[in-house]
Amino acid sequence: MSHKRLTACTHALSWVAVAVLALAACRQAPAAPAESPAAGSPAAETPAAAPAQPAAEKPIIKLAENPWTGSSVNVYVAKQLLEDKLGYTVEVVTIDENAQWPAVAKGDISAILEIWPSGETHQKGLKQYVEGDKTVDHLGELGVVGKISWYVPKYVVDQYPELATWEGYKKPELARLFATAETGEDGQFLAGDPSWVQYDEEIIQNLGLKLKVVRAGSEQAVLAALDSAYSRKEPLLFYLWTPHSVHNKYELVPVKLPDYSDECYAEANAGKKACDYPKDVLFKVANARLKEAAPDAYQFLANMKLTDADQIAMIADVELNGKTPAEAAKAWIEKHEAVWSKWLPK
Amino acid sequence: MLICTDIWKIFGPTPEKAHAALAFQVAADKLSYPDHVVAVRGVSFEVKKGETFVVMGLSGSGKSTLVRCLTRLTEPTAGQILIEGQDVRRMNDEALRNLRRHKVSMVFQNFGLLPHRRVLDNVAYGLEVCGVDRRTRNDRAAQMIELVGLKGWESKYPRQLSGGMQQRVGLARALAVNPDILLFDEPFSALDPLIRREMQDELLRLQSTLHKTSVFITHDFPEALKIGDRIAIMKDGQFVQVGTPQELVLRPRDDYVRAFVKDAPRAKVLTAGAIMSRDLRGRAPNGRTVPSHAPLQALLPMLAEHDAPLTVLDGGTPAGVVDRAAVIRALVEEDVARATGA
Amino acid sequence: MATRSFALPILPRARSSRPWRIASVLALLAGAWLLSLLVPSLTDQFPAHWNLGLREAVDGFSRWVTSNRITSPIFVYFFDPLSTGIDAFVRLIENALLGAHWAVIIGITAIAGWLLGGWRLSLGCSLGFFLCGAMGLWTQTMQTLALMNVSVLFALLIGIPLGIACALSNRFDRVLRPILDAMQVMPAFVYLIPVVLFFGVARVPAVVATVIYAIPPAVRLTSLGIREVQPAAVEAARAFGSTRWQILRKVQLPLALPAIMAGVNQTIMMALGIVVIAAMVGAGGLGREVYLALQRLQVGRAFEAGLAIVVIAIVLDRLSEALSRIDLTQLPSRAAGRAPSWVAPLVIAGLTALCVIAFQDAFPGEWQLGLARPVDGLVRWTRDNLFFITRPLSDFITLYLLNPFRDLLRDIAPWPVMVVAVAAVGYFVSGWRLALGSAIGMFMLGWLGMWSQSMDTLSQVLVTTAITVVLALPVGILASQSDVVRRVLRPILDFLQTVPTFVFLVPVIMLFNVGRVPGIIASVLYAIPVGIRLTELGIRQVSPEAVEAAKAFGSTRAQLIVKVQLPLAKPAIALSVNQMIMMVLAMVVIAGMVGGAGLGLEAVIGLTRSETGIGISAGLCIVILAMILDRITQAWAARQR
């Protein structure tokens, strides 16, 4: 009895499945060429869409999108120009920045458009793939310059102007404003995502600051802690960088540390660093074989250059005006033909 | 047909060592060996063609282990098993499988039915595993189902059947491969008393036409008396006594057997031949005769009707005499052998 | 000499008296402490030069892989074609799911639900998928579903044969068991980078990582199912001369089917647990939504995607559970009361067809159900209004529970004392074998160069477990006494168990400050459902005779619980403690991401700095801690019987 019923079930299910597949097949053909920039969310670009016919002889360009808005808008600017002006099909692969190097070396990713030199992984990647086995090409600077700093919310500096510079943190009574249960007497310095170079413990020790490092373990943790502290106007000292979308939301002030100098970061000075972080000149890389496979796309990506202002404007468009990164990129492209037309290979 | 000689089964880490120590030890009081359990201890017996041989024992006596040793479902530690002259213990896997497939079938205490198969497929299982095609095996299975009185239940699942019906399926499954030997491991123990009697009668009915050589395990002495041609009483892995039901009732070897015999239905077990007086002088010339294999209960109405003794015929010729007193004595006295002096 | 060797085998049987054993263990502990006083250089910290060097070996290997990635035949002829094949397969399923009209997918689910369980299941499943669409996540849901299907399929294709092998061979089972343990406890973070090295990015590494994570339950439940087939059925099959293969195919596998289906169910659940992590290597789908939204602190958006994952989990759970309940051996009583009717499927098919005609392919945007905004509002409200409770609570846990305990384990007790102490616990709950194993495990922690991180993590795990037990037991008892409580709890527990933990990290940090506490809170939330469920189950399964007898003697309800149900449920409760510890350990990495430091942070560093050697070492330490704690609690649970 039940045996029969089960067979009936499987029969029915298999018929239904066949029907679905047939239906899917029917719908596949017309659905393919329609790109959907107007769809409601950034994820609407299904990388699964079948390659468009005209681009058959051209390879698919796969751009790495890292999970921050700056990276997204760069990628969508490049994607739309590559597709509209050079006729490529571009897939966006959302990936953690730390997992992308082997992929770009192998060709699973064609290019990465925003790499921060301060990332530990990236320093290794440069050494191993760009200088080492030369499977990855350096495509030059993105044009945007980043900078890691220690930040406090502006209301902290308003109330205690001394805390705008590092000397303020030598005073126990001021440092104690930042104390938590984890740090006891000392003030808390919230170190961020472990991906990034962090010399904070060195700096604190060598400058004699009354601070203790708490490693937040992820960028999100820092941002959540900031959001929480900010809502109550509590003091918080933390590791962050610019450009970052968070600056659109909160008024933050970088703490002035002794100026960066090359000597301070010289190899001989290991363990004795007592100055600010260097500037981060963001750069691009591409899989080495892209040069032959898609010379014009390679040239285009190498030429591509954005200014801080360009990127910050697009980030603000996304964060404040609620646009998707694709929409923000589109708006920027419409207004800046003079800029991007120079990127196109002659 | 089936000859077993000095079968041993010892459970434990080094059974061979334990067997060597126990089997060849002069002192018989050594019953145990450290860390080992002796389930079967030097058992020998022979079952003749068509005979039903019952092994009766309480739980833990080793009877279920013994029956499993016969087809090596449990590997015996020592001893020889001959089935139709073939040495079972020397068979390779293939020969052993063939023995189990074609020669020897088994009926289990908890039925051992496959719950995911219908009655028909359960009965056909034995044929299925030896590669009989579906049609043939289903036909044969249907016949067997009819034989055990389950016609119409072929496509039910075991759980939809009562215990007695399930065991009928077990029986049909065992018969389906047309084996020479049937092994029954307490087949009716899990059934209610009434159903049990019904199944016993069913088995006797089948046996009266099929005459399969059978080894029947039970813990129920009345069942053993009812079914067995010969009965072995088993205790602590050994046979205490082997004999026909009547022999056991008349001459229990020791107090252990006597304890079972005590409540035996003597009127059914004992026969006229067993209690008759060979003195033919008291013979009544009235033509009141009984055959020597008649149970006492058949004599009672005749003796109640008239006081005169009865003549016991053995193969047509008068062999002895039974009178009312002798019958009453046989029914009430425990040890008939002592009473009659036979 | 001769007497000695003779005496040896008798020793374990001649049990020394308890005080004597306690005294000898105390002496060992004192000895270890004394040693650390005498040779502080050796015992202050675990000697660094004893390092096993695993880190360097792993890093060397990954360097080899990266430099031979393109040329080595292993990649060219094995991993690359394999990756290509898997990728094509996932894309095929994905295209089928995305190409089909949304109403068709919902319709199929509805029919499947009806066939397997009836109209209630049918309605629930279709509403679930509808909700995913209404949250604007239809595409992502289908992508995740495709990935899930393929991963689960592979996990079963590998897991079920392995499970059969485990059931048939004790030796194979012994070898595989610790590997399965490791696969289940090893944080996915740790093997994400190696998987990317071998399989590239996007769908394939996501499938591989998911398969690794999801295989163990398939193996375990298959093996268990086969081993628990009634011996009578197997014996009967043997008695009729079946070959081993015939027994397996005709008896054991069909009878183990319900257990195997339970394994399928568990495999699906495990696979859904890794969706967000898989998104870090480009898997896309719902995981990507959670991942992107969290980076932007859009808790509401992350919650929606998380809810969609919960919905998929619950739909698949109920469907596969219903499938496993179709027990071939049982009278289909439900079906008996209802003539097999094709009316309902036809109605559903009709409705589906109507929807296909009436609506466009994409899920209608105007049915949008905006959950993000209210959730964001709620998060803000809790942030602003609950802080006055959560901050002091957080400080209390840090100052009075975590700090003293961590200092004891990590700083005050020298490492030899800790090794002896853990071994002693093993000795008392089980015997010298467990003691030896635990000691070796503890030693390995130092050997891998992670002693202080391990002790930090150990202290957090024990505190978290204690908090979880204290909360779970009363709720479990309550749920066992009242069906109302149980019904109310069920969806909440389902939600907590399947929602990606990442989703509530942000609110937890907002409320509890960065540090060890938010990790602990998140772990408690993750582990508590298992604790509540197993406690409840344990009490409900107490034999009704015992309860009846207690009632017959006039026990009050409280007496019944305290004197009968709790003592009899002790083994089950002990087992639930074991499970809670395992769940807490599974959260160590998450804790590392919110300031928990210890092994979790090391594992995160392994991923974020491409330090595979550090990651693997930290992962192994988590596995070792898990095994020590698991074996000890299991032995302790067995003693409760």
Side-chain angles (χ1 to χ4, degrees), chain B residues 126-186:
Chain B
L127 297 165
E128 185 183 332
V129 291
C130 27
V132 176
D133 69 281
R134 180 177 289 275
R135 238 192 118 95
T136 320
R137 68 178 192 244
N138 283 358
D139 286 350
R140 170 84 185 155
Q143 279 174 26
M144 290 302 121
I145 291 168
E146 196 175 348
L147 186 68
V148 299
L150 280 181
K151 195 169 163 57
W153 294 82
E154 289 86 347
S155 35
K156 298 284 187 222
Y157 284 88
R159 275 191 206 174
Q160 295 169 272
L161 272 53
S162 69
M165 289 160 92
Q166 290 193 36
Q167 195 56 295
R168 283 170 196 260
V169 177
L171 197 55
R173 176 174 65 175
L175 291 173
V177 293
N178 194 19
D180 301 325
I181 298 176
L182 279 169
L183 305 179
F184 294 89
D185 179 27
E186 301 204 42

Side-chain angles (χ1 to χ4, degrees), chain B residues 72 87-98:
Chain B
R72 284 169 58 194
D87 190 340
V88 175
R89 291 199 67 208
R90 292 198 178 171
M91 287 179 177
N92 59 16
D93 282 357
E94 167 111 47
L96 186 64
R97 258 204 311 276
N98 279 326

Side-chain angles (χ1 to χ4, degrees), chain C residues 462-483:
Chain C
L462 294 179
V463 169
T464 311
T465 310
I467 296 174
T468 317
V469 169
V470 167
L471 294 176
L473 281 188
V475 181
I477 293 171
L478 202 63
S480 72
Q481 304 297 316
S482 150
D483 283 334

Side-chain angles (χ1 to χ4, degrees), chain A residues 1-3 5-6 8-9 12-13 16-17 20-21 23-24 27-28 31 41-50 62 65-69 72 76 91-103 105-106 108-109 120-121 124 128-129 133 135 179-182 188 190 193-198 212 214-225 227-228 231-232 234 236 244-245 249-250 289 318-319 325, chain C residues 62-63 66-67 69-70 80 91 94-96 98-101 104-105 108 111-112 115-116 136 139-140 143 193 196-197 199-203 279-284 288-289 291-292 294-297 301 323 326-330 332 334-336 338 340 342 356 361 383-384 387 391 394-395 398-399 402-403 406 506 509-511 513-517 592-597 601-602 604-605 607-611:
Chain A
M1 190 65 190
S2 72
H3 200 252
R5 188 154 159 271
L6 191 79
C9 292
L13 283 178
V16 174
V20 174
L21 287 177
L23 212 89
R27 286 178 180 274
Q28 208 45 47
S41 76
E45 278 76 11
T46 46
K62 295 179 192 167
E65 177 195 27
N66 300 140
W68 59 85
T69 315
S72 298
Y76 282 97
E91 256 184 35
V92 175
V93 181
T94 308
I95 188 170
D96 196 85
E97 58 174 319
N98 303 295
Q100 65 194 0
W101 277 97
K106 196 198 156 210
D108 290 336
I109 288 173
E120 296 267 12
T121 301
K124 275 196 203 141
Q128 187 171 355
Y129 301 103
D133 58 16
T135 46
T180 68
E182 290 275 359
Q188 168 184 264
L190 197 56
D193 190 338
S195 335
W196 303 99
V197 284
Q198 290 169 7
K212 194 172 164 195
V214 169
R215 302 209 272 175
S218 65
E219 192 185 330
Q220 295 96 307
V222 177
L223 299 183
D227 181 75
S228 180
S231 72
R232 277 184 302 276
E234 282 177 2
L236 186 74
H244 192 295
S245 58
K249 227 170 141 188
Y250 314 103
R289 282 169 296 169
V318 173
E319 302 286 335
Chain C
S62 52
R63 262 197 305 280
T66 46
S67 47
R69 184 70 189 79
I70 298 163
D80 290 349
R91 279 175 194 257
E94 203 175 288
N95 287 344
L98 281 172
H101 195 281
V104 174
I105 305 279
I108 292 174
I111 293 178
L115 287 175
L116 293 174
T139 313
Q140 291 88 332
Q143 285 174 336
I193 295 285
V196 169
L197 282 182
F199 296 94
V201 291
R203 296 165 184 78
M280 300 180 81
V281 289
R288 175 179 180 274
E289 285 305 302
Y291 177 59
L292 285 180
L294 280 186
Q295 198 77 16
R296 294 171 183 148
L297 288 198
R301 187 74 190 147
L323 190 63
I326 295 191
D327 184 349
L328 291 176
T329 66
Q330 230 155 16
R334 270 180 305 125
R338 185 188 71 193
W342 293 98
V356 171
D361 269 17
R383 180 193 70 190
D384 296 340
F387 203 71
R391 171 58 66 85
S394 164
D395 289 353
T398 310
L399 292 175
L402 284 171
N403 281 353
R406 177 191 63 191
V506 170
I509 292 172
M510 285 178 175
L511 288 174
N513 210 4
V514 167
R516 284 166 291 171
V517 177
M593 294 180 75
V594 291
L601 183 66
E602 299 297 324
V604 174
I605 287 176
L607 172 73
T608 55
R609 298 194 179 174
S610 296
E611 298 268 13

Side-chain angles (χ1 to χ4, degrees), chain C residues 164-242:
Chain C
I164 294 172
C166 276
L168 298 184
S169 154
N170 282 328
R171 184 177 301 178
F172 190 73
D173 186 52
R174 264 199 303 278
V175 173
L176 203 64
R177 190 168 288 247
I179 299 177
L180 293 180
D181 285 347
M183 279 163 76
Q184 227 167 355
V185 185
M186 181 73 94
F189 262 69
V190 166
Y191 52 79
L192 218 48
I193 295 285
V195 167
V196 169
L197 282 182
F198 283 95
F199 296 94
V201 291
R203 296 165 184 78
V204 185
V207 168
V208 174
T210 311
V211 168
I212 293 176
Y213 190 61
I215 278 181
V219 180
R220 292 215 166 105
L221 282 161
T222 304
S223 164
L224 188 75
I226 293 178
R227 280 174 189 267
E228 289 195 342
V229 165
Q230 343 158 350
V234 176
E235 190 182 37
R238 275 178 68 208
F240 282 94
S242 314

